[in-house]
Amino acid sequence: MKLKVDLKRALPIWVENGLLSPEQSGKILDFQTRASRTRKSIPLPLLAMVLASVLIALGLFMFYAANWRAMAPAFKLAQVFLLLIGFYGAGFAVGVRKGASHPLARVLIVLGMVSFGVGISLVAQIFHISAHPTNGLLTWLLAVLVMSAICRETWGLYLGGILLFIWNAWEAGVYGNPNHLMAPILLAYGFLAWREKSALALIAGLGFFLYYLVQAHILLGIHHENAAVAIGSVLLFFFYGLLFIQARALGEKRDFPAAALKVAEILGWILVLLPFALLSWPFPSSGEKPLFLALLDTTAGRGVLVEGVVLATLLVLPWRRSADLRRWNPYFAWILVFALAMFFLPLGSKTVLMVATHLGMLAFFFGMLYFSFGGEDGRRGRRVLAIVFPCFLLFAKFIGFLGLGLDRHGYFVCYLVGFIVFAIVVVLIGQVVKFLLEKKKRGVPEWILTLVATIFIFGSLYALSFEVKNQKSIFSTGPMVLTLFFVLLGIALSLFAWLARLASDKWVTGLAAAIFAASVALMFLARPDLDWKVYAICFNLLLFLLEGAVIALGARRGSRSLQILGIGFFTIHLVTRYFDLVWDLLSGSALFLATGALILAIGVLLERQRRRLFSAPPVEKP
């Protein structure tokens, strides 16, 4: 019997119960740590056999594809059975003599599985069977899974995973089929992978399940051309994501491979993030009914509701049994309540959908940061995701708002200032979490969020610093944009007021307030008859303010990275404005000569500044 034990958790318990002394415990842990760092190379005979099996499998397919028409019908049919009997019989014989785990026995069993697929194609040609092409692949997949279960063969699961991917991609990509049959097959595949304790197969199964969820639910909404079904299907990702996250806490008690459980949790958080990423952009309007009433109007919609009820029930049941889930219970409960509440809102209204999604997104950021860095478990993966998710959405929002501003003429200033407000709200959320965790004597790297947001705010101001003409007032936009903007404006003002009263370090808050106030004021002043030079001068001044503030903040905190970032911003800005001003004043040769001399002088000055910066010892991180 194989027994896998987490030594870091088990050793303190063994010491507490008198099974080991503390010295023995330390020696065991040191020995296993050193041993785990020693990577075992793949034995050359095993590598040769695996390569041989791949070549033989390819040779079988190529041989019968090239010589099939020249063979007699009886000989054709006999070969189908001879291939199966030969490979399986040889694998059984080697397994009996040398053990079932012998590489040669395993290779022969896998070749028997491959020969079954060859046989399916041969029989289909012998009897001129015309059917749905993917059915043959499905039959082969099921046979491989059955033989893997009977023979306890992990390599068969790897072959089955390849067939599963090809079959599903064929059904979904070529025929546009949501392929719901994949769900029970995935459950069977996952059970076999867990029984064999194969981390690779479990990870593959989790990846296939994520692929299936996105494919099935998105294709469902596209197929029915129904906005309510599409929105409801995307909301189900909340429930599936929480189930994946629960899988880690529950699987740790059932001897699941640790790598697979980590992947399950990461995929779970990705699924929870997906609805925010997908629904935070305008969907086609589909009426003012609450979403659950709109879903009741169609068969597909009723299926989405039933699926949601089942998933919510499965989520609630395990909470009492898991201490890890109880520690995260408030945050889990919030995500679940938010997902359920969305079904009772009239999400057919673009305004309601946008406001609800963005409010939920900001609350998600706050909760992820607070519970990840303020919790007791200290899991590194959750902390990394808590920083990566808002950074990813900042990037996505920047690209999206920039694209919308370029596409919708006259609203370039409105969209980019709207992004600046959103980015500042994210920065302020990081500052609030920092303040709250300081009371618990815990830290959070909110400076990463501030740094990333600053880069995208610079990009927005830089784009606005060029010639921008015929800008329309924000009050001429639709109710969706106007309502969402004033909601974000209210959140930002509330956070500014709270931080100004309680936070000790007001440098970041003050800088954000200056950029925020100036940008919003310029957006409210926007109108078609306002000269573009007003925008250019004001946004260029804001750029200089941002660059100077970043350099000053870096100098105050002794942060080289902030100072270098500020100098980089200033250099990009200065070079751009230089070419804007002198391009039409000088000929090509004179321009490049003058530019070369100027850059050389700037390089000398920057080198002096760099030497001064790096000669000073750093005080603290930004």
Side-chain angles (χ1 to χ4, degrees), residues 183-249:
I185 296 176
L186 271 174
L187 290 175
Y189 184 86
F191 171 76
L192 293 176
W194 168 73
R195 190 184 68 170
E196 300 303 321
K197 298 295 183 292
S198 172
L200 182 59
L202 274 172
I203 291 172
L206 290 169
F208 292 148
F209 190 54
L210 177 65
Y211 175 42
Y212 162 70
L213 287 177
V214 176
Q215 155 205 296
H217 290 86
I218 290 180
L219 284 178
L220 180 67
I222 294 174
H223 176 73
H224 290 277
E225 297 182 351
N226 186 308
V229 174
I231 293 171
S233 300
V234 171
L235 288 176
L236 292 179
F237 293 156
F238 280 123
F239 304 110
Y240 281 110
L242 292 178
L243 282 174
F244 271 55
I245 296 166
Q246 279 188 351
R248 176 170 187 176

Side-chain angles (χ1 to χ4, degrees), residues 39-177:
R39 304 246 180 208
K40 295 182 178 179
S41 59
I42 300 176
L44 184 59
L46 176 61
L47 185 62
M49 289 183 184
V50 171
L51 179 60
S53 65
V54 173
L55 294 175
I56 292 171
L58 291 174
L60 285 172
F61 278 102
M62 294 177 66
F63 174 77
Y64 285 107
N67 298 282
W68 186 245
R69 293 182 180 180
M71 298 180 187
F75 187 55
K76 295 176 185 178
L77 193 60
Q79 287 185 72
V80 173
F81 294 102
L82 287 174
L83 277 173
L84 291 171
I85 295 172
F87 281 124
Y88 282 128
F92 178 76
V94 174
V96 169
R97 292 183 58 189
K98 299 186 177 182
S101 61
H102 193 276
L104 181 58
R106 301 180 71 182
V107 165
L108 291 170
I109 293 295
V110 171
L111 287 175
M113 297 176 186
V114 172
S115 66
F116 185 81
V118 175
I120 289 175
S121 62
L122 299 184
V123 170
Q125 291 186 32
I126 291 172
F127 298 101
H128 304 287
I129 298 174
S130 178
H132 191 55
T134 57
N135 288 345
L137 199 60
L138 174 60
T139 305
W140 186 11
L141 166 62
L142 294 176
V144 167
L145 293 181
V146 169
M147 289 305 299
S148 298
I150 294 173
C151 301
R152 307 293 297 265
E153 180 49 66
T154 307
W155 292 358
L157 292 178
Y158 302 152
L159 174 61
I162 295 172
L163 296 177
L164 184 64
F165 175 79
I166 296 173
W167 168 66
N168 183 68
W170 197 350
E171 282 282 0
V174 177
Y175 296 102
N177 181 7

Side-chain angles (χ1 to χ4, degrees), residues 334-354:
W334 176 85
I335 296 175
L336 182 58
V337 169
F338 174 78
L340 292 172
M342 293 287 277
F343 283 92
F344 293 90
L345 296 177
L347 297 186
S349 165
K350 293 182 181 180
T351 302
V352 175
L353 178 63
M354 290 294 99

Side-chain angles (χ1 to χ4, degrees), residues 320-388:
R320 295 182 179 179
R321 303 178 182 178
S322 173
D324 182 68
L325 293 179
R326 284 197 297 273
R327 283 195 296 269
W328 276 69
N329 189 55
Y331 189 48
F332 273 69
W334 176 85
I335 296 175
L336 182 58
V337 169
F338 174 78
L340 292 172
M342 293 287 277
F343 283 92
F344 293 90
L345 296 177
L347 297 186
S349 165
K350 293 182 181 180
T351 302
V352 175
L353 178 63
M354 290 294 99
V355 172
T357 304
H358 281 83
L359 287 176
M361 182 191 303
L362 295 174
F364 173 76
F365 290 163
F366 173 83
M368 192 71 178
L369 282 171
Y370 182 80
F371 285 98
S372 295
F373 289 92
E376 299 295 333
D377 57 0
R379 285 184 174 172
R380 182 179 300 176
R382 286 178 181 172
R383 293 182 173 185
V384 171
L385 292 174
I387 297 296
V388 169

Side-chain angles (χ1 to χ4, degrees), residues 357-489:
T357 304
H358 281 83
L359 287 176
M361 182 191 303
L362 295 174
F364 173 76
F365 290 163
F366 173 83
M368 192 71 178
L369 282 171
Y370 182 80
F371 285 98
S372 295
F373 289 92
E376 299 295 333
D377 57 0
R379 285 184 174 172
R380 182 179 300 176
R382 286 178 181 172
R383 293 182 173 185
V384 171
L385 292 174
I387 297 296
V388 169
F389 282 172
C391 293
F392 166 75
L393 280 177
L394 279 172
F395 170 75
K397 286 292 179 182
F398 173 72
I399 298 299
F401 275 72
L402 183 63
L404 287 171
L406 293 171
D407 181 64
R408 301 183 183 182
H409 302 290
Y411 293 106
F412 191 68
V413 171
C414 290
Y415 276 107
L416 284 186
V417 172
F419 168 77
I420 291 172
V421 172
F422 176 80
I424 287 175
V425 169
V426 173
V427 171
L428 296 178
I429 288 174
Q431 295 298 310
V432 169
V433 173
K434 175 187 177 183
F435 174 78
L436 294 175
L437 292 184
E438 281 177 350
K439 293 183 175 182
K440 301 174 66 174
K441 296 183 179 180
R442 295 182 180 274
V444 57
E446 92 297 337
W447 61 270
I448 299 178
L449 288 181
T450 303
L451 197 66
V452 173
T454 301
I455 292 172
F456 289 123
I457 290 172
F458 171 81
S460 301
L461 293 174
Y462 180 78
L464 290 167
S465 68
F466 291 90
E467 184 176 339
V468 180
K469 295 181 178 180
N470 301 321
Q471 294 301 294
K472 299 177 183 178
S473 170
I474 187 174
F475 296 103
S476 64
T477 60
M480 178 193 71
V481 175
L482 208 57
T483 304
L484 180 59
F485 176 77
F486 277 102
V487 167
L488 292 175
L489 194 65

